[in-house]
Amino acid sequence: MAQQRELDKLGNQLDWNLLRTFMVIVQEGSITAAANRLFLTQPAVSLALKRLEARLGRELVERGQGRFRVTEAGETIYREVVDIYGTISRFGILVREIHEEISGHVRIFMTSRIQTVLLDRVLTEFHARYPKVTFRIDVIPSTDIHIALQQKIGTLGICLMREPIPGLRSEVLIHQTYHLYCGRGHRFYGSEGLDVADLRKEDFVSFTTDQIDGTLSPLAVFRAREGFGGRIVGASANLEEVRRMIVCGLGLGPLPEHIAARDVADGELWELPPYEGVAPVDVHLIWNPQSKFNRAEIAFREMLLAEIRDLPVDRRLPT
């Protein structure tokens, strides 16, 4: 009986903010990174973790000089908190579903500058068929999309994916190939007969995920393999901003071929070797099958997947 009273007390008095802070700590892998994401001070986040551990009577994270490891108890609590967070974040949608039937809200997370006739076609046809359905499209980095869908926030993600993500399902939406370009102000603009070796010491503009462990790791592998040693003078998670820096002459850099085609035709960009392309990088459609979807979300996802099955991948890019 005393144990039951203690459990009831824990359920009634446990602060949800402590659980949410702990969830972010685990996702970010450090107290400092969690504090930055939550816009809190590091001591405040560390104190929240200590309070939660004291309330539960268990150590959740082993931490010390250069050490950060989530304990078995911490892993168990984390899994439960993620499920709770996903359910709470979708309360509004679940309530609306009672009244809206096929009308409803579809939220899509998308990385920057995705161009595909497949998505455009589905949006057009779906709106014509279900005009009461509303949409929200948030443009955020691919890694943030992965986290949002693991937390059961949103309907679908359209993003880069280096490897399968636990708990999520995916389909390849488009194949794209990255090429190197420079802007009008670059010394190689208009140059013919260049070789990759000519580029190795040039300043470079790229994506913040152009790292060996990032979603654009093929670009990092290319630079390492070819011995590129120039400075990284500009970086962004947003494709449009990477394009801007290349066009403005900060350095040469990679862009998807179909995205850069118009700028090349307009004389804003000049293509550089290797002319067969630097790296293929697929864009994926991802979703969490454990999420509770309303009818609008289910209908939109099924229409999009049907179009993926029917339209060959080589016909999904704009011409």
Side-chain angles (χ1 to χ4, degrees):
M1 183 65 71
Q3 184 179 16
Q4 184 60 49
R5 284 198 298 269
E6 186 64 26
L7 289 174
D8 290 343
K9 182 179 179 182
L10 177 64
N12 291 331
Q13 296 182 359
L14 189 59
D15 185 349
W16 163 246
N17 288 321
L18 300 182
L19 294 173
R20 177 173 176 269
T21 300
F22 171 67
M23 178 183 71
V24 175
I25 290 171
V26 175
Q27 290 170 346
E28 295 297 329
S30 79
I31 301 292
T32 301
N36 290 336
R37 179 170 156 190
L38 293 168
F39 300 102
L40 297 172
T41 64
Q42 183 174 341
V45 173
S46 182
L47 178 60
L49 177 58
K50 291 178 181 178
R51 287 177 57 199
L52 180 61
E53 290 177 327
R55 197 71 189 85
L56 297 175
R58 293 288 188 276
E59 184 180 37
L60 302 180
V61 177
E62 292 180 0
R63 51 207 182 273
Q65 189 65 34
R67 187 174 80 257
F68 181 96
R69 188 185 76 84
V70 182
T71 66
E72 184 176 351
E75 292 285 0
T76 300
I77 295 298
Y78 172 73
R79 287 192 296 269
E80 295 298 323
V81 172
V82 168
D83 279 343
I84 294 169
Y85 186 77
T87 300
I88 291 174
S89 67
R90 296 177 62 80
F91 277 174
I93 292 175
L94 295 175
V95 171
R96 280 203 305 273
E97 176 67 4
I98 296 173
H99 306 288
E100 292 184 340
E101 297 182 358
I102 199 59
S103 63
H105 190 68
V106 175
R107 186 178 186 185
I108 302 172
F109 293 108
M110 187 182 302
T111 192
S112 62
R113 199 77 184 273
I114 296 298
Q115 292 185 2
T116 166
V117 296
L118 188 150
L119 178 61
D120 295 348
R121 181 184 303 180
V122 171
L123 280 170
T124 301
E125 293 180 359
F126 191 86
H127 178 66
R129 188 178 303 180
Y130 307 114
K132 292 185 178 179
V133 173
T134 58
F135 286 86
R136 171 173 170 176
I137 299 178
D138 293 307
V139 178
I140 60 176
S142 292
T143 50
D144 290 347
I145 295 175
H146 304 165
I147 292 173
L149 292 182
Q150 285 180 315
Q151 295 175 350
K152 302 178 183 177
I153 302 172
T155 308
L156 296 167
I158 297 176
C159 58
L160 306 181
M161 193 172 69
R162 186 168 59 93
E163 57 190 14
I165 303 171
L168 302 184
R169 296 185 61 183
S170 67
E171 292 282 349
V172 173
L173 183 64
I174 55 174
H175 293 314
Q176 55 184 11
T177 301
Y178 281 71
H179 290 242
L180 292 181
Y181 302 91
C182 66
R184 288 178 182 271
H186 196 277
R187 69 191 186 96
F188 284 152
Y189 185 90
S191 297
E192 304 280 359
L194 293 172
D195 187 80
V196 174
D198 299 318
L199 313 179
R200 288 174 179 159
K201 295 183 180 180
E202 295 298 310
D203 289 344
F204 207 80
V205 173
S206 195
F207 297 83
T208 53
T209 51
D210 174 4
Q211 304 172 27
I212 293 298
D213 61 347
T215 54
L216 281 173
S217 58
L219 300 182
V221 171
F222 166 79
R223 288 192 293 110
R225 184 182 69 238
E226 297 296 336
F228 275 65
R231 296 182 304 148
I232 303 294
V233 297
S236 176
N238 188 293
L239 188 148
E240 187 58 42
E241 298 311 316
V242 172
R243 172 198 165 275
R244 184 196 308 276
M245 289 186 281
I246 298 172
V247 169
C248 290
L250 274 67
L252 59 89
L255 291 170
E257 181 182 22
H258 68 285
I259 297 291
R262 174 65 64 85
D263 286 322
V264 171
D266 292 343
E268 295 293 333
L269 293 174
W270 182 262
E271 186 176 354
L272 300 169
Y275 297 108
E276 69 275 12
V278 171
V281 179
D282 290 339
V283 174
H284 292 80
L285 174 72
I286 65 174
W287 69 96
N288 189 333
Q290 299 303 315
S291 292
K292 292 181 173 65
F293 297 106
N294 63 39
R295 291 187 183 182
E297 292 174 309
I298 294 171
F300 183 78
R301 185 188 67 202
E302 292 307 309
M303 183 179 288
L304 194 53
L305 289 173
E307 192 72 12
I308 287 174
R309 289 191 293 267
D310 293 342
L311 188 64
V313 71
D314 59 353
R315 292 174 52 196
R316 297 176 190 171
L317 293 177
T319 55

